[in-house]
Amino acid sequence: MLGNRLLCVLDRDGNLAGPLPEFARDPAELLRLYRTLVLTRTFDTKAIALQRTGRLGTYASSLGQEAVSVGAAAAMAKSDVLVPSFREHGAQIWRGVTLKELFLYWGGDERGNDFAGPREDFPNCVPVASHAPHAVGVALAFRLRGEQRAAVCVFGDGATSKGDVAEALNMAGVWKVPAVFVVNNNAWAISVPREKQTAAATLAQKAVAAGIPGEQVDGNDVIAVRAATERALARARQGLGPALIEALTYRLCDHTTSDDASRYRNDAEVSGHWPAEPVARLRKFLMNAGHWSKDMEEALLHECSSSVEGAAEAYLATPAQPISAIFDYIYAEIPAELAEQREAATVQAQGDA
Amino acid sequence: MTELSLVQAVNAALKHAMNEDVRVLVLGEDVGIDGGVFRATEGLFRIFGEQRVLDTPLAEASIAGVSIGLAAQGFRPVAEIQFTGFAYACIDQILNHASRLRARTRGRLTCPMVLRSPAGGGIKAVEHHSESPEAMFAHIPGVKVVMPSSAARAYGLLLSAIRDPDPVVFLEPARLYRAAREDVPDDGAGIPLGHCLTLRAGRDVTIVGWGAMVKEALEAADQLAAENVEAEVIDVATLKPLDSATILASVERTGRLVVVHEAPMTCGYGAEIAARVASRAMTSLLAPIERVTGYDTMMPYARMEAHYMPQVGAIMTAARRVMAFT
Ligand SMILES: Cc1ncc(C[n+]2csc(CCOP(=O)(O)OP(=O)(O)O)c2C)c(N)n1
């Protein structure tokens, strides 16, 4: 578990670089992973298109990083709780958050956080790293109730510089709570490269100071990410405590739709990473193993695009909430003064209309 | 008769809440074996064990953050921050997460947690141990802010805070912890949040305060009575949500308002109360509103703190000024 070697099952050409873990011997499971990777990328493309045409807010793409998200989520049990940052669309899709909900969220509608699916999963966390302690609290709750559940928290390489992550890893280690922390190391925190983020040789080694296991995996290898996360989760469920996984991937896109990555990194660097990207890698493996064909690929692309288009239409057709909605969930019971503000806002909105 | 000090009342409320609801947990630095540096959690560890009374590593942001995770999972964490100077590290968690978990998930996840901390000066502590951050927390939508002013009110308000479905910041005036004792029946009766308490009726001037300042306000009112000035004293008790109705009704009767708090004046909570009265009871006012507050300075070190904290005399001077206004 605490190996220093980078865990990798598929090399960048989709050839086996190590033994296939149990789940990966079932072609149906591999196809499920592949389908979610493709769906995530299709969603991503559509989200950017909507943003560019003024129909979605600022959006954080996960292009090139889909395997970290999908791999980590695929290792989780349904009853586990995901505590994500803002780039884990793949994990959310795997866990049952609907595409429409994701569009709503990025379209600036809180209802996108009211997941019909994973009811106990946390919403996206925008203040970097501040969700790490929440995962400790969730995992502590599981331990205190004697439940065989775990929390999985995903954050970026930049997040590891914040005290919140150090505090959370430390506390999780002391209490041996069933939490797995996955660093989605996409090499950049906006314009700051990984080498300027920390002088530590790896991010996995941040686990050492917390007294918990840490390992690096190839984050573009969905099989490796899932295998590492499964192992960490199994350990956590046995009461052996938390673990940190550093998944090495690369952000093939701008930081968000408001960013222009060409200001701080050159095209050669980016194109150098394309051959290692996760979707083609798994596809090559599936093709070589005879589980996949050109026709199946076409059918899948068609299916994903119609799901995404359907969700986008449903999102665009969703009317905004009345102004009163912003007051409705501030407290369980609305205080008198806030009720007055709600009344005034409603009157004002009617006047504006 | 059960005569308790304020800190003992806090302890009794915690014990009562933990007995009545297994979801209630206590966590913080030194809250276990040691019973907290002020002994607010004394004995809880022995009764409820390490599953429910958790000594945390020294990490304030995470004490708040972990509580959010626990609360989202249905526990009712009561987190202790050892001194308010260190509660600022929690503001990110309270402001960005605890306060808005319900709203941003449309009620799917909620955050019924309490963040307790001793607050205010007067105990000659070292620096960073005597601040009054109530306005900072009260500025945050979605949290409730409570500051008790006596043992009985600490007991009842804390029980309500723990039972509340939303996050509550509960600031305990450290200098009242052992200053007095009063009868506090351990009957589990909560004092509802969101209500001001009129502690003394009077027709001439309304004096509003909270926490430790209530004691000064009452003393000032006693002394003013000798000068034939009848002061009405209101303990705000819950700063957020504010019960303006009680304050407005009082000012409508007296026509005069003095607000007292220990925190600095600028953007202090007194400004909020003054603004509400000015906009809603303007025609009742017979004099400008007076604020008696700490200065816009650091809370000074122990030797000077008495000069910083509003004294009875300053409250009387302000009351005389509004009485003399014509
Ligand atoms: C506490 C905080 N500081 C700054 C920001 C602005 N910001 C948003 S994302 C980001 C970089 C995050 O990098 P990383 O953790 O590596 O995640 P990535 O975006 O690369 O997935 C910054 C600085 C923020 N959201 N939160």
Side-chain angles (χ1 to χ4, degrees), chain A residues 13 56 60 65 84 88 104 122 133-134 147 164 176 190 193 208 212 228-229 231 245-246 255 300 315:
Chain A
D13 298 318
L56 199 79
Q65 307 176 215
E88 306 312 322
L104 273 174
F122 270 59
H134 306 165
E147 295 169 347
D164 305 51
K176 279 198 171 4
I190 310 188
V208 175
I212 67 174
T229 314
R231 275 208 308 270
I245 296 168
E246 176 187 3
H255 169 70
L300 177 65
Y315 148 66

Side-chain angles (χ1 to χ4, degrees), chain A residues 81 105 110-111 113-116 118-127 129-131 133-138 140-145 147 149 162-164 167-168 170-171 174-175 321 325-326 328-333 335 337 340-341, chain B residues 25 27 50-52 54-70 72-75 92-93 96-97 99 101-109 140-144 165-167 240-245 248 276 280:
Chain A
V81 164
Y105 172 80
E110 295 86 348
R111 288 174 293 182
N113 279 329
D114 187 7
F115 311 147
R119 299 291 294 163
E120 292 173 68
D121 280 9
F122 270 59
N124 290 354
C125 181
V126 169
S130 59
H131 59 312
H134 306 165
V136 180
V138 169
L140 177 59
F142 296 157
R143 212 206 59 199
L144 289 171
R145 287 194 297 245
E147 295 169 347
R149 303 166 70 189
K162 276 209 38 159
D164 305 51
E167 288 190 12
N170 183 63
M171 224 177 255
V174 171
W175 287 338
Q321 304 166 91
I326 74 170
D328 286 346
Y329 291 93
I330 300 296
Y331 298 99
E333 202 179 315
E337 299 257 331
E340 273 176 37
Q341 290 183 18
Chain B
L25 306 177
L27 69 160
E50 60 178 7
Q51 303 273 311
R52 297 188 62 200
L54 295 106
D55 273 324
T56 65
L58 205 162
E60 283 75 14
S62 284
I63 291 171
V66 165
S67 299
I68 293 167
L70 284 164
Q73 274 295 320
F75 280 93
D92 181 25
Q93 288 294 336
N96 282 320
H97 294 294
S99 67
L101 196 59
R102 176 188 295 281
R104 63 200 283 262
T105 63
R106 311 307 290 163
R108 180 170 62 80
L109 298 178
I140 304 173
V143 296
K144 297 182 177 175
D166 290 306
K240 181 91 170 260
L242 179 65
D243 164 19
S244 324
L248 289 168
R276 292 202 195 189
R280 306 229 189 133

